[in-house]
Amino acid sequence: MAGETALVDVGILFGAVAFGGLLANRIEQSVIPFYIVIGMLLGPSVLGDLPSLVADAASLLEDGAAVAGLELELGRGIGIEILGYELFASASQVALAETDFIYVGAELGIVFLLFFLGLEFNLQRLMAARERIGKAGTVDLVINFGIGLILGWILFGEFLAAFLVAGIVYISSSAIITKSLIDLGWIANDEASSMLGTLVYEDLFIAIYLVVASVLVLGSGDIGEALGDVGIAVGFILLLLLFVHFGTAFFQRALETDSNEFLVLRAIGIVVLVAGAALAIGVSEAVAAFFVGMAFSSTDHVHDLERLLEPVRDAFAAIFFFWIGLVTNPALFVDAFILAAIGAAVVLTTPTKLVSGYLGGRIYDLDERRSVRVGLGMVTRGEFSLIIASVAITGAGFGIAEGVANDINAFAVGYVLVMSILGTTLMQYSSRIESIVVPRLESRSSSAQPSDD
């Protein structure tokens, strides 16, 4: 039955990410790259296409042997049977596809990660730091969106494609960075304030950007409609801010219960409902979940929410990272142009994020070491870059050529995969990097200061 098969698929999913987590823990690495790679391996493009991949590999080996003057026949050996079952064909049957459960689970992973981010960043703290957030966020926007426009124009030679590429390389991954902050124990550190403030700025900007990008890509050309959609997005965000400011008493009463079960159900009901409503009108569900978290942060239930919902957050976060790998087709990276585009983007935009993050840390009056850590932490790209790529695919053949849209999608997927692994690795080994970089920065800073003579 379909239900039985679906349940087996869910079991394979959780078993696979559990194994990835165990392996990552054994070698003391971040779990995020392991979840992504496992998703890729179990997806339809690798495990699902295993017989064809094995046959192609055997053919390549035979051709190579023939060129070397050797005779090698692997055709008969690739159809291995065990207990009457063809090994590779049977293995391909357990490959996972992007089911509704996995897709919605990934959405919930984003929602819960950003909800927890909001719990650490209440409205009073946000308003108190609004000047710093504005300055650090603007520096981040000008540097990274600017370099993205230039790169996109060089790659595709048209404004709309450049506009989409700029968004892809500009926006850091709130979900992955938040997860890394929690895992590494940085969430309560001084550098977290700069990183979270910049992420808030990026998420608010991207909420408006996605509306504009969607209108441009779909090619309606209706300026009034575009302005109306932007107005709805801005209005919803302002409504959330007002709700956060004046709704503390409501959120406090909503969770007044002696039952952990009721508290969890009420909290999940509120955050998922608000996030879903936001997504339905074109506002990022991540932004909405963040604001709901901020609303709860002013109540007396923060400790209970963190304690009870942490396992829920981590389970759905694992699905989100697994989903990134699952929808990634390694064959996309065979194209020389896509590989070159990804390589150029990684080489150009990693330093720009390091610089803008470092400058953001200095705007927050952090010392050299913590400012460097901010730069390292902001390198990761993720969910929003993939959302922008999906906008390009949706508009293929309308406001943007189908071939260009497919190239942008392939570029975004490869870029996110590389930057998600690179970013989490940089955060994982930040201490070693800081020990090399910080003394040089401090030396340069002290030499630049005028002497007392």
Side-chain angles (χ1 to χ4, degrees), residues 144-206:
N144 293 289
F145 197 86
I147 196 68
L149 279 174
I150 296 171
L151 176 64
W153 185 265
I154 293 173
L155 291 175
F156 297 102
E158 59 180 79
F159 170 76
L160 184 52
F163 185 71
L164 294 172
V165 170
I168 290 168
V169 303
Y170 157 66
I171 184 74
S172 297
S173 172
S174 299
I176 298 177
I177 292 172
T178 302
K179 171 68 172 170
S180 296
L181 286 173
I182 294 168
D183 289 347
L184 295 172
W186 292 8
I187 195 69
N189 293 355
D190 292 338
E191 62 270 20
S193 296
S194 177
M195 295 171 68
L196 298 182
T198 304
L199 288 175
V200 169
Y201 185 104
E202 288 187 353
D203 289 353
L204 293 175
F205 173 85
I206 216 68

Side-chain angles (χ1 to χ4, degrees), residues 7-22 35 38 42 96 322:
L7 193 59
V8 170
D9 290 346
V10 173
I12 293 172
L13 186 160
F14 281 112
V17 295
F19 174 75
L22 175 64
Y35 291 160
I38 285 175
L42 290 182
L96 300 182
F322 179 90

Side-chain angles (χ1 to χ4, degrees), residues 52-297:
S52 296
L53 294 175
V54 172
D56 290 343
S59 178
L60 286 174
L61 289 174
E62 290 175 349
D63 292 344
V67 171
L70 302 174
E71 185 175 343
L72 183 63
E73 292 187 10
L74 297 175
R76 297 178 181 178
I78 60 174
I80 302 174
E81 290 190 5
I82 298 178
L83 299 177
Y85 292 94
E86 205 283 308
L87 178 62
F88 298 122
S90 299
S92 69
Q93 297 301 310
V94 300
L96 300 182
E98 187 187 9
T99 62
D100 289 342
F101 175 84
I102 294 176
Y103 180 78
V104 175
E107 290 277 5
L108 289 172
I110 298 173
V111 166
F112 285 120
L113 283 169
L114 271 294
F115 172 71
F116 268 74
L117 179 60
L119 288 177
E120 299 289 341
F121 208 93
N122 60 47
L123 183 60
Q124 290 72 28
R125 183 179 171 189
L126 178 67
M127 296 307 294
R130 62 185 181 275
E131 184 176 348
R132 288 177 172 176
I133 291 174
K135 290 180 179 178
T138 301
V139 168
D140 174 56
L141 174 65
V142 170
I143 293 176
N144 293 289
F145 197 86
I147 196 68
L149 279 174
I150 296 171
L151 176 64
W153 185 265
I154 293 173
L155 291 175
F156 297 102
E158 59 180 79
F159 170 76
L160 184 52
F163 185 71
L164 294 172
V165 170
I168 290 168
V169 303
Y170 157 66
I171 184 74
S172 297
S173 172
S174 299
I176 298 177
I177 292 172
T178 302
K179 171 68 172 170
S180 296
L181 286 173
I182 294 168
D183 289 347
L184 295 172
W186 292 8
I187 195 69
N189 293 355
D190 292 338
E191 62 270 20
S193 296
S194 177
M195 295 171 68
L196 298 182
T198 304
L199 288 175
V200 169
Y201 185 104
E202 288 187 353
D203 289 353
L204 293 175
F205 173 85
I206 216 68
I208 308 302
Y209 168 92
L210 285 172
V211 175
V212 175
S214 297
V215 172
L216 292 175
V217 168
L218 290 175
S220 67
D222 191 335
I223 302 300
E225 180 183 346
L227 292 175
D229 290 341
V230 171
I232 291 173
V234 172
F236 190 84
I237 291 171
L238 291 176
L239 183 63
L240 284 175
L241 280 170
L242 291 173
F243 198 37
V244 170
H245 184 68
F246 295 106
T248 301
F250 164 78
F251 286 105
Q252 179 70 34
R253 289 194 303 271
L255 299 185
E256 289 291 351
T257 176
D258 295 329
S259 169
N260 289 339
E261 176 186 354
F262 293 158
L263 186 146
V264 168
L265 290 174
R266 293 174 188 179
I268 292 177
I270 292 171
V271 66
V272 174
L273 179 61
V274 174
L279 190 61
I281 64 172
V283 178
S284 166
E285 75 278 25
V287 174
F290 172 80
F291 280 119
V292 175
M294 282 205 303
F296 279 122
S297 71

